[in-house]
Amino acid sequence: MGKIMKTYKKLLEMAEKRANYFCLLDPDKFEENEAAVIAKRCEDNGADGLLVGGSLMINNNFEKNLKLIKESVKIPVIIFPGLFSCVSPYADAILYLSLISSRNPQMLIGEQVRSAPLVKHYGLEAIGTGYMLIESGNSTSVHYLSHSFPLPHSKNDIAVAHALAGEYLGMKIIYMDSGSGAKFPISNEMINAVKKNISVPLIVGGGIRTPEIAYKKALFGADFVVTGNILEGNDDPELIREFAEAIHQVKRND
Ligand code: 1GP
C-alpha cells in the first residue's frame, strides 16, 4: 500500500476550491539570511505555496536556504528540482519531474534513477509530475540545459496528447512551463485545452509578468500559477499581493 501523500492531498483540496498562487524561489541566488525574509513575505501576502529550485547551483546554498525557508513559513514548501541533486529533507514534498515533452532519456528517467534512493532515504514525499516545456519565443535555461525541444507554442493537440499520456502513466500533476524568463507565457487556449482533458491538477508557469496575465492563466484552467523572475530583485510586497488576489478571484466550485 502506498503511503499517504499528505502534501499532494492538500494540493488536491486547494485546487478543488480555487486557483492558487505559487512563488518560485531560487535559494542559490539569495544573500545570507535573505531566504527566510523573502519566503515569509510571500506567505504574508497571499502565496499558497513555495516552489524551491533553480537550474544551476552556483553558490551551493540550496540546502541551507531551503531549511531557513521551511522553518519560516506554514504554507507548503515543495522542491522543484532543476537539478536532481536538489534532494533534501527540509521540504514538505518534491515535484518528482519527468520531462515528458522531451525525448531525452536522461530527463525522462535517468536523473530520477539517480535521485530516487536519496528521496527514499529522507522519506521525502515525491509527487510524480509530468513536466512539459512549451516553446516561449526564446531559449530559456531549462530548454538549453535539458537538451530537449519544447512543444510548439500553438499546437494544442500535441500538448493535450502529452498531458494525457502523463496522466495515464500515473503522474499526479501536470506542469506546463514555458521556462523561467520566457518571452511569452503559455497561451490561454493551450491551457484550456489541456485542462479540459485531464483530471489531475495543472501547474502553469514561465513568463507570467502581470497579475492580469496570471488571472487569465487561472481563468483558463491553471490550478496553480507560478511566478519566479518577477519577484527577483523586487521587494515590493504589494506586487505579491496583487498576483495572489488576481489568481484567487478564480473559484472552482461556483
Ligand atoms: C519557471 O514557471 C517558472 O519554471 C517561473 O517562470 O521565472 O518566468 O516567472 P518565471
Side-chain angles (χ1 to χ4, degrees):
M1 253 238 278
K3 77 177 184 178
I4 296 160
M5 299 180 69
K6 225 169 107 193
T7 305
Y8 182 61
K9 214 173 145 240
K10 193 170 195 171
L11 297 184
L12 286 177
E13 286 163 10
M14 288 158 71
E16 256 173 41
K17 291 195 190 106
R18 65 173 188 194
N20 299 273
Y21 181 34
F22 277 171
C23 294
L24 170 63
L25 306 180
D26 184 347
D28 200 49
K29 292 188 181 160
F30 296 145
E31 303 290 331
E32 194 90 348
N33 296 329
E34 213 183 4
V37 177
I38 295 176
K40 190 83 179 64
R41 186 184 301 143
C42 292
E43 180 177 57
D44 289 347
N45 289 283
D48 301 291
L50 300 175
L51 297 187
V52 184
S55 299
L56 284 176
M57 193 95 82
I58 294 167
N59 298 315
N60 202 22
N61 281 339
F62 178 77
E63 189 155 80
K64 189 183 88 193
N65 282 335
L66 177 65
K67 188 165 184 278
L68 289 172
I69 290 170
K70 176 71 191 124
E71 286 164 357
S72 60
V73 296
K74 292 193 178 63
I75 53 176
V77 174
I78 302 172
I79 299 173
F80 174 48
L83 296 164
F84 270 85
S85 46
C86 295
V87 175
S88 159
Y90 304 113
D92 294 297
I94 179 170
L95 288 184
Y96 209 63
L97 309 176
S98 178
L99 182 51
I100 59 174
S101 56
S102 88
R103 298 297 176 269
N104 174 358
Q106 195 59 25
M107 303 310 288
L108 284 160
I109 184 67
E111 294 293 316
Q112 297 78 350
V113 170
R114 283 183 202 280
S115 67
L118 201 52
V119 171
K120 171 88 176 165
H121 175 74
Y122 289 143
L124 189 59
E125 178 180 332
I127 304 175
T129 302
Y131 184 55
M132 294 164 52
L133 282 176
I134 315 294
E135 197 252 317
S136 61
N138 55 347
S139 176
T140 63
S141 306
V142 63
H143 292 153
Y144 179 76
L145 291 170
S146 64
H147 294 242
S148 69
F149 285 124
L151 295 182
H153 183 75
S154 56
K155 300 290 184 193
N156 300 349
D157 50 354
I158 297 182
V160 169
H162 277 77
L164 277 176
E167 182 172 345
Y168 295 154
L169 281 165
M171 286 155 187
K172 298 194 159 52
I173 285 186
I174 297 295
Y175 189 148
M176 293 167 78
D177 197 350
S178 53
S180 192
K183 202 163 170 185
F184 42 77
I186 298 167
S187 75
N188 299 335
E189 294 70 27
M190 184 180 278
I191 293 167
N192 200 237
V194 168
K195 178 65 184 173
K196 282 198 313 223
N197 279 280
I198 61 172
S199 55
V200 294
L202 178 61
I203 306 180
V204 173
I208 297 171
R209 294 194 180 81
T210 67
E212 294 72 29
I213 295 174
Y215 167 73
K216 279 282 163 65
K217 303 306 160 197
L219 189 67
F220 280 82
D223 297 303
F224 299 91
V225 179
V226 184
T227 67
N229 258 349
I230 195 81
L231 301 181
E232 275 172 28
N234 186 330
D235 49 16
D236 179 9
E238 206 41 48
L239 185 67
I240 303 173
R241 186 166 293 280
E242 283 171 20
F243 269 101
E245 282 175 1
I247 294 163
H248 292 160
Q249 283 176 54
V250 179
K251 312 283 181 219
R252 295 289 184 226
N253 283 335
D254 294 352

